[in-house]
Amino acid sequence: MIRNAVGSLMGLIGAAAAVWSPFRAWYDGRPGRDYRIEELFSGSGVTTDPPALLGSLLLPFLFAALLTLCAVLRRSRLLMALAGVVVLGVAVLWMVRQGQAAGGLSVGADGQGLGAGAASAFGAGALLLLAAAVMRGRRRRPRGRDVDLEPLPRPAAPEPDPRGPGDRL
């Protein structure tokens, strides 16, 4: 029970960090909400056209947060791990596309290069996967009726007749 509670708390923190990450700077001071989802899957790569809020990187992170809530309510390790894979998958795919568009990625202390939003997305995905590993999940019940699977005790052997074998009628 404690493992499920700790895993659920870790998962909810990870989901909150994932949803918060598009509002922080991802690359060269540009927030994650300024990247289109379609740009991750198109051949053109990352462009400077700003999308609508729900057409940005926020949408897959909201989906991952919904998966996390379902995982907490159902105590499902699989759903929690799937949420972590979604967050990490989007972050890695964005990183590949950004690297293609910029000709490489850099990390700088002056606001240039990778920002805190990308780092929090990677951290959130890792935290969701860790939460799935910590959770115990549901206990499995045997299928069918609730029957004990232990063998029944053997009946005791009958006691011999104290009168002896010849005294019976």
Side-chain angles (χ1 to χ4, degrees):
M1 183 168 151
I2 296 294
R3 288 179 60 183
N4 280 336
V6 169
S8 297
L9 182 64
M10 289 170 58
L12 291 173
I13 291 169
V19 170
W20 182 45
S21 70
F23 297 99
R24 301 180 72 194
W26 277 55
Y27 195 75
D28 286 339
R30 186 175 173 195
R33 66 177 183 263
D34 287 347
Y35 294 99
R36 293 178 182 271
I37 295 174
E38 299 89 24
E39 293 172 350
L40 300 180
F41 304 104
S42 69
S44 63
V46 177
T47 63
T48 57
D49 298 333
L53 185 60
L54 287 180
S56 69
L57 293 180
L58 179 64
L59 186 63
F61 294 147
L62 284 174
F63 177 70
L66 181 66
L67 281 176
T68 301
L69 286 175
C70 291
V72 168
L73 293 176
R74 296 186 47 87
R75 295 188 312 243
S76 171
R77 297 175 67 185
L78 181 66
L79 287 177
M80 188 72 74
L82 183 62
V85 167
V86 166
V87 171
L88 283 177
V90 168
V92 166
L93 189 56
W94 169 85
M95 190 175 242
V96 167
R97 289 301 189 181
Q98 180 64 41
Q100 288 174 344
L105 294 175
S106 64
V107 178
D110 58 350
Q112 301 296 318
L114 289 172
S120 66
F122 279 106
L127 190 60
L128 287 167
L129 288 178
L130 186 63
V134 167
M135 287 178 70
R136 173 174 274 176
R138 288 184 152 184
R139 294 183 189 250
R140 298 185 187 262
R141 288 190 203 165
R143 294 196 176 211
R145 291 182 277 152
D146 292 332
V147 177
D148 289 338
L149 299 178
E150 296 179 19
L152 295 174
R154 294 183 127 186
E159 293 185 23
D161 193 0
R163 295 178 286 172
D167 291 340
R168 290 187 196 166
L169 295 175

